[in-house]
Amino acid sequence: MDLFSHQREQLLQRQAPLAERMRPLCLKDFIGQDEILGAGRLLRRAIEADCLGSIIFHGPPGTGKTSLARIIANSTRSYFCSLNAVLAGIRELKDAIEQAQEKLGRHGLRTLLFIDEVHRFNKSQQDALLPWVENGTVTLIGATTENPFFEVNKALVSRSRLFRLQPLTSKHLDQVICRALSDQEMGFGNRNILISEEARSHLIAVAGGDARTLLNALELAVESSQPDNQGLIEINLEVAEQSIQQQAVLYDKQGDAHFDTISAFIKSIRGSDPDAALFWLARMIEAGEDPRFIFRRLLIAAGEDIGLADPQGIVVVEACAAAFDRIGLPEGIYPLVQATLYLTNTNKSNSILGFFDAVRSLKEEKAQLIPSHLRDSHRDGAAFGDGKGYRYPHAYSEHWVAQQYLPETLQGQIFWQPGKSGWEAERSQQLQWQRAAQLSAAAEWGIEQGEIVSSSPSTPSLERWLKRQMVQAGERLQLLQQRFWQGIPLERHHRVLVLNCQSLFWALPAMKLAPEGGVSLQVEDRETATKLEAQLQVLDQLQKPIIYQTEPHCLDQLHLQLQEGEKFELIIGRNLLKGASPNEREKWLNQLDLLLTEDGRLTFLNSHRELGPLNLLPKGSLGWVNSLQIEMCQLEKEWLNNEAFNQPLENQLKSSGWVASVDKWLEQVEFIISPQLLEQWFNPESKYRCWWLNNFAGELLTELENCYQHQLGVKLIQPLIHQRLTAQKKPRPEAGFIKT
């Protein structure tokens, strides 16, 4: 860049709109999108580690798509190339690919190609990009306001990780205002500005989650206001209203807003909510939607959702549509609203969908011969008996007679089930009687009776690895794992922490179900960490759980190793706090808030043996005094029960303001007495031997061990008690956004 180019860039930067000047340059300055960019989440880790694959950001305007791309450009060690699909064509794309090939060939430098408004590339342009994304010449970073599943080449989508950015919340928009008013270099920090609470609230409310709209309005309010004698610029509600008078309706007749809004409209009608139906109707009309399109959808709803519960529904809509064609806008809005409110408030039935049941049966049934008495008798009646036996309904009283009209293989099949309201309800009882009579008639005639929002490209290597890990665990543990994870509301962007992780087995579902959030493992010794790292060696960097080593029961040590602000939506663990003292348990419990988000959950599984070696033996095996053995067995049971912690922890959590519950079940496990098992029970340092010698004579323990030595190979049944503790902090009243 020469001197003149540098001066031009500096001048453009100073004269750029506030929204452009305030773009964040690093992740620390980025506001919002915590679901995908929060501390510890996959996208943040990928940016910080500079190991991004192809990604596509999509979402409404002003949510940070382009800003994220610029942050990536500022933090990557790769060559960064940027194109705008509105201005660029095949030639510019070809030049970018050639530069990428040169950088890769000469310097071994990969290229990140950012394409803004990627949906504006036509099919041939997207097809031209695909091979270079596929062979790794470029890594694509796309940004679009449209749904990529509809507007971007399916092959590109399948090779990219998708992140959906949400409109900013009021709290985040307030932070945007605070930053703009305090930044002395790029914002208004060098001016004396006073903005009233009412003006601030109005700007935030009308911006509708769009940071660009908010900053544009704030800039207009500041630049159009004259400072007083002390240099104070005061922005009151009147100034704010003039700066941003109307919230822009996000609507694209060919995009997500179009389809999502009409979907919300029809579902509101189906749900008989007139207020919601009018709101979505107003949104479409204000955005310029064609009323004839709305009438077409109303006609569909009249058939699909109202149906024969109110046969007049389709008549009313058709009449209102004809009236609209004669009147036009603006007065034509009245028949449109009338049709909407009529369908919303009338009886509902989807019984007409029985037609599709008939279609399905048509495709599934092989033999669908038309019954002979229903065939045309004018051609083959004499030779083949077609039409013979047909009963003419008008020849009978009430113009109806019991006879079958379905093929033989479908006798008794029901496709139309009348609803329980409106016109259909009046027909229901009579139809039931008629169907019963038809079946009776068929029997008499000897006719046989018959009759279900970060999307990611698939990762086959990860799927195969997860399956291998599951298979190695065995069927019993797989069933226990399913029971443990049942009902846990895990989302793709959630961060999961596995406490005292001894095996990857319990973390496998989280690795599969939360790829954009990520999994962290806490271990208590270096040996376990080394073992887990070896098992994870085959996975790439972003797929691997992060391993943290701490001393037992010290959650504060783990907190110090996390990124600033990193917390978890879910913390799980199995057989935790064994051997912990009451003080250690209390400290451990108080430290959970350091790791959990405000709405985070705990799920812990504790499994312990119900019977010890003494209780497992059949009665009379030792020849001891009966009363002595009974007393010893009872003490052994109490010792084993003290190993369990879920019940007292549940009570501790409840007393600390948690909502907690324990699910308890029993499992019968068959095992064989082996030398290894006896070594585990009776070795000089075992917990069982220590407990025994603290309560009973050592000679008795020797007798017990000798008894088991004579039963090597014998099968015994051990009852295991499983307790699953689930807990969540009681919801707090939602606080308003911060005022400054």
Side-chain angles (χ1 to χ4, degrees):
M1 180 182 292
D2 57 30
L3 178 62
F4 297 105
S5 298
H6 178 71
Q7 289 179 337
R8 184 175 63 251
E9 290 293 328
Q10 293 293 315
L11 182 61
L12 285 173
Q13 180 64 30
R14 290 195 298 268
Q15 295 179 349
L18 177 65
E20 183 66 24
R21 302 199 307 268
M22 293 305 301
R23 285 191 186 276
L25 300 178
C26 60
L27 285 174
K28 183 181 68 174
D29 296 333
F30 193 89
I31 296 173
Q33 312 304 335
D34 294 334
E35 292 82 359
I36 62 173
L37 270 178
R41 299 201 194 277
L42 176 116
L43 180 57
R44 190 183 193 96
R45 289 190 281 118
I47 294 174
E48 292 174 342
D50 195 14
C51 56
L52 282 170
S54 292
I55 55 177
I56 297 177
F57 300 122
H58 72 108
T63 53
K65 300 183 295 296
T66 304
S67 296
L68 265 178
R70 294 192 180 186
I71 289 173
I72 294 171
N74 292 334
S75 60
T76 184
R77 293 181 295 275
S78 305
Y79 174 66
F80 190 90
C81 179
S82 177
L83 296 177
N84 190 306
V86 177
L87 304 175
I90 289 288
R91 180 177 179 180
E92 290 78 8
L93 184 59
K94 183 178 179 181
D95 291 342
I97 298 299
E98 289 176 352
Q99 289 181 23
Q101 290 176 310
E102 182 180 356
K103 298 288 182 183
L104 186 64
R106 290 189 177 185
H107 311 290
L109 192 65
R110 68 191 185 104
T111 296
L112 297 182
L113 176 60
F114 172 59
I115 303 180
D116 202 2
E117 304 296 338
V118 65
H119 66 278
R120 299 293 291 270
F121 268 172
N122 58 35
K123 186 178 184 300
S124 62
Q125 290 169 317
Q126 294 185 30
D127 287 342
L129 175 63
L130 178 61
W132 310 109
V133 173
E134 199 166 30
N135 66 18
T137 301
V138 297
T139 297
L140 172 67
I141 302 176
T144 173
T145 56
E146 304 298 327
N147 190 326
F149 285 105
F150 295 103
E151 302 296 337
V152 180
N153 186 312
K154 291 183 179 179
L156 282 177
V157 170
S158 69
R159 288 160 177 79
S160 305
R161 194 181 294 271
L162 308 183
F163 292 97
R164 185 174 186 174
L165 278 65
Q166 302 295 331
L168 299 186
T169 65
S170 297
K171 176 183 176 181
H172 293 140
L173 291 176
D174 191 72
Q175 293 174 4
V176 171
I177 292 180
C178 292
R179 183 166 173 261
L181 294 178
S182 61
D183 192 314
Q184 296 186 1
E185 183 178 354
M186 297 298 178
F188 295 132
N190 55 357
R191 302 195 195 184
N192 190 7
I193 300 172
L194 177 63
I195 179 170
S196 70
E197 294 296 323
E198 294 82 2
R200 183 192 294 261
S201 298
H202 177 77
L203 291 173
I204 290 173
V206 183
D210 187 330
R212 185 185 297 110
T213 298
L214 176 68
L215 290 172
N216 288 340
L218 178 63
E219 182 178 29
L220 179 60
V222 171
E223 299 295 352
S224 62
S225 299
Q226 293 296 324
D228 61 14
N229 296 332
Q230 286 76 35
L232 176 66
I233 298 176
E234 186 174 357
I235 301 174
N236 54 30
L237 179 59
E238 182 181 356
V239 174
E241 288 176 339
Q242 292 172 354
S243 302
I244 185 169
Q245 298 181 3
Q246 183 177 352
Q247 179 172 327
V249 178
L250 178 61
Y251 202 86
D252 185 334
K253 293 183 181 180
Q254 301 301 321
D256 275 2
H258 166 77
F259 293 105
D260 289 346
T261 307
I262 194 66
S263 174
F265 175 64
I266 294 300
K267 288 174 181 174
S268 300
I269 292 175
R270 185 181 297 141
S272 300
D273 188 334
D275 305 307
L278 288 180
F279 174 81
W280 298 118
L281 177 62
R283 176 166 176 162
M284 288 188 289
I285 295 299
E286 286 298 305
E289 183 61 83
D290 184 358
R292 291 175 177 81
F293 166 74
I294 302 175
F295 270 120
R296 287 197 295 272
R297 294 305 302 263
L298 286 171
L299 281 168
I300 295 170
E304 179 183 357
D305 297 311
I306 284 55
L308 293 175
D310 185 355
Q312 289 298 311
I314 198 166
V315 178
V316 170
V317 177
E318 182 63 33
C320 289
F324 177 87
D325 285 338
R326 296 181 64 183
I327 300 172
L329 290 175
E331 290 86 353
I333 197 67
Y334 297 120
L336 181 56
V337 172
Q338 182 178 343
T340 297
L341 290 176
Y342 186 93
L343 295 189
T344 304
N345 290 286
T346 193
N347 296 313
K348 307 292 190 297
S349 172
N350 66 345
S351 64
I352 286 178
L353 297 182
F355 167 77
F356 298 101
D357 292 331
V359 171
R360 186 161 51 251
S361 292
L362 187 70
K363 294 177 179 179
E364 292 174 355
E365 285 292 338
K366 295 181 179 179
Q368 297 167 346
L369 295 176
I370 299 174
S372 61
H373 66 285
L374 298 181
R375 297 174 190 162
D376 181 13
S377 63
H378 294 90
R379 295 173 298 147
D380 302 328
F384 297 102
D386 290 349
K388 184 178 181 181
Y390 170 65
R391 300 177 179 181
Y392 187 57
H394 296 298
Y396 296 84
S397 62
E398 299 182 1
H399 305 274
W400 183 86
V401 64
Q403 67 180 334
Q404 276 292 344
Y405 297 93
L406 281 169
E408 182 176 339
T409 57
L410 294 178
Q411 298 302 319
Q413 183 71 48
I414 295 176
F415 298 117
W416 183 55
Q417 285 281 20
K420 297 180 180 179
S421 61
W423 180 84
E424 286 184 317
E426 300 171 8
R427 293 284 302 161
S428 180
Q429 188 172 358
Q430 181 183 359
L431 182 63
Q432 289 178 9
W433 176 83
Q434 289 177 344
R435 283 170 170 166
Q438 285 177 321
L439 287 175
S440 299
E444 292 175 4
W445 283 26
I447 299 178
E448 189 178 297
Q449 296 186 33
E451 318 198 16
I452 190 162
V453 91
S454 121
S455 174
S456 308
S458 60
T459 50
S461 60
L462 177 60
E463 291 290 333
R464 289 193 297 269
W465 183 86
L466 289 170
K467 286 181 180 178
R468 281 200 306 271
Q469 299 295 321
M470 287 292 292
V471 169
Q472 292 171 6
E475 183 179 358
R476 179 191 153 263
L477 275 181
Q478 290 181 39
L479 293 174
L480 186 59
Q481 183 203 65
Q482 292 173 12
R483 180 89 181 247
F484 173 77
W485 280 94
Q486 185 177 1
I488 297 179
L490 192 61
E491 299 182 18
R492 293 181 61 85
H493 64 274
H494 279 176
R495 294 159 295 191
V496 182
L497 171 63
V498 185
L499 291 176
N500 191 18
C501 183
Q502 301 293 322
S503 163
L504 289 175
F505 178 71
W506 300 98
L508 296 179
M511 293 175 62
K512 182 176 182 179
L513 298 174
E516 271 78 49
V519 179
S520 297
L521 313 176
Q522 179 256 337
V523 299
E524 297 181 351
D525 57 78
R526 186 61 217 165
E527 182 181 350
T528 303
T530 303
K531 179 187 71 173
L532 297 180
E533 287 168 355
Q535 292 177 317
L536 295 169
Q537 198 66 36
V538 298
L539 302 181
D540 67 45
Q541 184 175 351
L542 291 180
Q543 292 173 340
K544 292 180 182 178
I546 302 174
I547 301 175
Y548 299 100
Q549 183 182 345
T550 68
E551 294 179 10
H553 322 316
C554 293
L555 299 184
D556 52 343
Q557 292 183 5
L558 175 59
H559 172 67
L560 294 175
Q561 297 183 48
L562 301 176
Q563 293 185 18
E564 182 181 355
E566 181 177 359
K567 292 192 174 184
F568 300 92
E569 283 73 23
L570 175 65
I571 297 180
I572 67 170
R574 186 174 185 226
N575 294 336
L576 299 174
L577 295 180
K578 283 193 172 182
S581 67
N583 288 338
E584 287 176 322
R585 290 191 180 194
E586 186 70 25
K587 178 183 176 183
W588 184 89
L589 181 63
N590 294 333
Q591 291 172 351
L592 284 172
D593 281 339
L594 296 173
L595 304 176
L596 268 181
T597 59
E598 286 188 3
D599 57 349
R601 295 172 177 266
L602 305 172
T603 303
F604 299 146
L605 179 65
N606 183 53
S607 305
H608 73 278
R609 298 169 292 156
E610 186 178 43
L611 304 178
L614 185 58
N615 279 281
L616 284 169
L617 281 177
K619 290 182 180 180
S621 300
L622 292 166
W624 295 348
V625 177
N626 193 39
S627 59
L628 173 63
Q629 187 166 353
I630 291 175
E631 179 184 354
M632 295 173 68
C633 286
Q634 184 61 35
L635 288 173
E636 185 186 64
K637 276 189 176 182
E638 291 175 3
W639 174 70
L640 286 174
N641 285 332
N642 287 335
E643 294 282 294
F645 82 98
N646 278 351
Q647 202 67 42
L649 184 59
E650 177 193 9
N651 298 331
Q652 286 179 284
L653 287 168
K654 287 181 176 179
S655 64
S656 301
W658 295 69
V659 179
S661 63
V662 169
D663 178 26
K664 184 176 179 180
W665 69 95
L666 185 68
E667 179 187 14
Q668 302 286 351
V669 179
E670 186 179 76
F671 69 98
I672 298 175
I673 301 174
S674 64
Q676 295 80 8
L677 181 61
L678 299 188
E679 173 67 16
Q680 178 185 335
W681 283 348
F682 301 114
N683 79 79
E685 297 180 358
S686 72
K687 287 184 178 181
Y688 188 72
R689 175 181 285 273
C690 293
W691 168 79
W692 185 285
L693 296 179
N694 286 332
N695 292 274
F696 313 118
E699 294 82 359
L700 296 177
L701 181 63
T702 303
E703 289 186 38
L704 179 63
E705 183 176 1
N706 290 336
C707 182
Y708 270 106
Q709 290 288 354
H710 291 91
Q711 299 195 44
L712 290 174
V714 174
K715 291 183 179 179
L716 295 177
I717 301 295
Q718 172 66 274
L720 281 182
I721 297 177
H722 301 293
Q723 297 180 78
R724 190 181 79 149
L725 168 71
T726 57
Q728 185 177 23
K729 276 282 192 181
K730 289 182 180 177
R732 303 170 182 171
E734 187 172 344
F737 52 84
I738 303 170
K739 305 288 186 181
T740 58

